[in-house]
Amino acid sequence: MLVSLREILRLAEERQCAVGAFNTTNLECVRAVLDTARRLDLPVILSHAQVRESVAPLEVIGPVMVLSAQRAPVPVCVHLDHCTSLDYMARALKLGFTGVMYDGSLLPYEENVENTRRAVAMARPLGAGVEAELGQLAHGEDGAGNAGGPVYTEPELAVRFVRDTDIDALAPSFGTSHGIYRSKPVLDLERVAVIRRLTGLPLVMHGGSGVSPEDYRTAIKNGVRKINYFSYMSNAGTRAVRALLEREDVTYFHDLALTAQNAMAEDVEKAMRVFYKL
Ligand SMILES: [Zn+2]
């Protein structure tokens, strides 16, 4: 069933776990995530990132995500990830998205606040929740971006930001990075605990792929209630296709797609077992 971001975060709070938010850039991803959530009987978030528009146009993948969520036997939030344009956000809300992340992290503080407030004003009357980001990750969602390194979120500023914007969830920067890690990430998980204590909000871990199970567990204990996970799932599909092509000559693309889907489902299950503490 389709539920709001607030509701899915409430479920995570109740279980003292983090709900997985998986970017679904095609039908195989949608099915890999939802089949796994159904099999394990877990709430889940399907995400679409604005930066993937060329791979998965919003008006094509959005209705697939919303309809699949409505028909799922488990609670599913359909979420817009890293949205930098309020017009784009309006289109997602019109399609029935139940959560949106406004990402003004690269903007000056006041501008980030102003746009995030507008996002809240747009989403809330429709029953959709809003996540926003403060601080900067080492790499943007597209893997490029602030290669200068992360800008950690200042706890005091986070308190002010939450008060100024009235958001439902906060994505602080504490050392994770988008994409595939080239070296072991060094996370400031104490910072997570402090921000959580001061804001009382559910926190979101971006760049959730490639973090150690131990760090996931500490992050959840310290207040992370949503973990964005994509790169390693997608890469599991790529590796499975490569192995298949090395073994046999495949004629039909749907055989490659299905192989990728099954491999992604396996990877999603592994991630979910950690996020939901199974
Ligand atoms: Zn992200």
Side-chain angles (χ1 to χ4, degrees):
M1 72 214 75
L2 182 63
V3 304
S4 72
L5 179 65
R6 285 171 80 113
E7 171 62 10
I8 213 115
L9 291 172
R10 193 189 63 75
L11 293 172
E13 209 66 73
E14 208 172 81
R15 301 170 75 120
Q16 294 288 295
C17 74
V19 62
F22 301 91
N23 277 16
T24 51
T25 50
N26 53 34
L27 188 58
E28 287 70 33
C29 294
V30 172
R31 294 184 62 197
V33 173
L34 286 186
D35 286 353
T36 308
R38 179 169 46 217
R39 202 154 38 74
L40 302 178
D41 193 23
L42 295 170
V44 76
I45 299 174
L46 298 180
S47 285
H48 168 72
Q50 188 186 334
V51 72
R52 307 283 175 207
E53 177 64 22
S54 61
V55 178
L58 176 61
E59 274 75 15
V60 174
I61 198 72
V64 173
M65 294 162 74
V66 171
L67 196 65
S68 303
Q70 284 166 342
R71 290 183 176 172
V74 292
V76 182
C77 163
V78 175
H79 186 71
L80 181 62
D81 190 29
H82 288 285
C83 180
T84 53
S85 149
L86 294 174
D87 289 340
Y88 195 83
M89 182 176 287
R91 283 162 54 191
L93 289 169
K94 194 171 163 208
L95 289 171
F97 277 52
T98 53
V100 290
M101 178 209 187
Y102 176 73
D103 181 356
S105 60
L106 296 179
L107 300 174
Y109 177 83
E110 296 300 340
E111 218 175 314
N112 188 2
V113 166
E114 191 185 318
N115 290 351
T116 303
R117 283 170 66 107
R118 278 202 225 154
V120 171
M122 283 164 60
R124 195 154 286 163
L126 300 170
V130 177
E131 170 192 342
E133 180 168 338
L134 188 66
Q136 294 170 11
L137 270 67
H139 297 277
E141 177 63 29
D142 56 2
N146 346 335
V151 178
Y152 290 89
T153 304
E154 286 305 328
E156 297 301 333
L157 195 61
V159 174
R160 197 175 132 204
F161 185 69
V162 168
R163 206 175 39 220
D164 284 349
T165 56
D166 195 25
I167 49 173
D168 302 295
L170 176 71
S173 170
F174 54 93
T176 59
S177 169
H178 290 109
I180 305 283
Y181 286 99
R182 286 169 192 91
S183 56
K184 194 176 179 297
V186 180
L187 307 185
D188 185 352
L189 295 169
E190 193 41 43
R191 186 179 295 262
V192 173
V194 173
I195 294 173
R196 162 74 168 192
R197 184 159 43 75
L198 293 178
T199 64
L201 272 194
L203 302 182
V204 181
M205 178 194 280
H206 281 253
S209 282
V211 171
S212 72
E214 192 194 333
D215 280 350
Y216 280 132
R217 281 191 275 272
T218 308
I220 293 166
K221 187 162 74 64
N222 290 4
V224 165
R225 292 291 171 264
K226 171 176 180 274
I227 298 177
N228 289 16
Y229 184 93
F230 172 63
S231 297
Y232 282 58
M233 163 184 103
S234 186
N235 195 243
T238 304
R239 279 185 281 115
V241 166
R242 189 184 299 135
L244 177 67
L245 287 174
E246 274 167 14
R247 274 199 318 272
E248 52 188 281
D249 186 26
V250 178
T251 302
Y252 294 108
F253 175 70
H254 60 232
D255 289 325
L256 296 182
L258 193 60
T259 296
Q261 183 181 312
N262 292 336
M264 289 193 292
E266 238 176 78
D267 190 70
V268 167
E269 173 167 350
K270 261 190 245 160
M272 280 182 165
R273 289 195 178 279
V274 179
F275 300 169
Y276 298 83
K277 304 194 282 189
L278 302 183

